[in-house]
């Protein structure tokens, strides 16, 4: 099984679905690609005097460290932070990434969220999942034989979103926190801005979704209810390897 997880910023995938990705690696030896659409150069709120290029480099190295520890590939599409756009070029580049990864399952931000970068990335993923299997869209790589299943991750703070699929990440929650903490710059930035850090954040959000679903910690998803991105599976969890 090949999974492509897409985020607007360097820590988005880790916060929203890293536990599920760890489980897919450990239980199913899934091949995983992390795609970040922006360079994340505005993520230096703890040190606003740092040059943006330096912040982007720090965040890239943090994202690559997590991907490396997971055994995943890391790709960045280099759009400007806070100004991510659903452009033709971005659609084509993401389509190519999905084709190259031979994606079966795509995890992406939900179509409503607190940040317009997340909303734009959701739209990009919605387009690219269909385009990647479209035989008349001739690009560099072979079209996928089937449109990947598309699942939206949770919104930030779970606001305005009603997930329908819950994954019990309790067995790997400590590992998720350990890898999440590799985003040192964002651990510091969230402490500075919000008074909490990323690990505290997932303790609350994953604990809350766990409370809803009868486990200690859960990540929550919603399948895109749009043909042909909705796949029937043998279980009520995310699409499993066949
Ligand atoms: Zn983000």
């Amino acid at each position: 099984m090949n999974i492509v997880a897409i985020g607007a910023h360097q820590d988005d995938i880790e916060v929203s679905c890293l536990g599920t990705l760890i489980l897919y690696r450990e239980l199913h030896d899934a091949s995983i690609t992390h795609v970040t659409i922006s360079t994340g150069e505005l993520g230096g709120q703890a040190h606003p005097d740092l040059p943006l290029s330096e912040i982007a480099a720090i965040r890239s190295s943090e994202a690559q460290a997590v991907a490396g520890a997971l055994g995943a590939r890391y790709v960045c599409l280099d759009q400007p932070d806070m100004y991510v756009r659903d452009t033709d070029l971005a659609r084509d580049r993401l389509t190519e990434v999905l084709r190259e990864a031979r994606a079966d399952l795509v995890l992406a931000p939900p179509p409503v969220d607190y940040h317009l970068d997340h909303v734009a990335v959701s739209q990009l993923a919605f387009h690219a999942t269909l385009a990647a299997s479209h035989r008349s869209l001739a690009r560099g790589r072979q079209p996928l034989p089937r449109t990947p299943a598309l699942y939206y991750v949770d919104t930030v703070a779970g606001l305005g979103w009603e997930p329908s699929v819950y994954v019990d990440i309790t067995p790997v929650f400590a590992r998720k926190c350990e890898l999440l903490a590799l985003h040192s710059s964002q651990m510091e930035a969230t402490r500075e801005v919000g008074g909490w850090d990323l690990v505290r954040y997932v303790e609350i959000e994953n604990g809350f979704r766990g409370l809803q679903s009868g486990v200690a910690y859960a990540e929550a998803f919603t399948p895109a209810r749009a043909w042909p991105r909705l796949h029937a599976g043998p279980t009520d969890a995310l699409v499993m390897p066949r």
Side-chain angles (χ1 to χ4, degrees), residues 7-13 38 59 81 109 113-115 117-118 156:
H9 311 106
Q10 276 65 19
D11 53 344
D12 290 345
I13 294 167
S38 88
R59 299 200 69 187
D81 198 349
D113 207 349
Y114 88 107
H115 199 308
D117 284 0
H118 291 210
V156 168

Side-chain angles (χ1 to χ4, degrees), residues 107-123:
L107 306 177
V112 292
D113 207 349
Y114 88 107
H115 199 308
L116 281 179
D117 284 0
H118 291 210
V119 175
V121 171
S122 187
Q123 291 176 336

Side-chain angles (χ1 to χ4, degrees), residues 12-25:
D12 290 345
I13 294 167
E14 286 82 337
V15 167
S16 62
C17 61
L18 184 61
T20 301
L21 295 173
I22 293 169
L23 286 170
Y24 268 94
R25 281 290 295 161

Side-chain angles (χ1 to χ4, degrees), residues 73 92-103 131-145:
R73 178 172 168 245
D92 287 349
R93 289 190 64 194
L94 188 56
T95 298
E96 285 303 287
V97 171
L98 297 190
R99 287 181 173 184
E100 188 178 2
R102 310 312 292 167
S133 61
H134 200 297
R135 296 181 182 191
S136 298
L137 276 175
R139 297 285 184 264
R141 295 185 186 270
Q142 278 291 103
L144 297 178

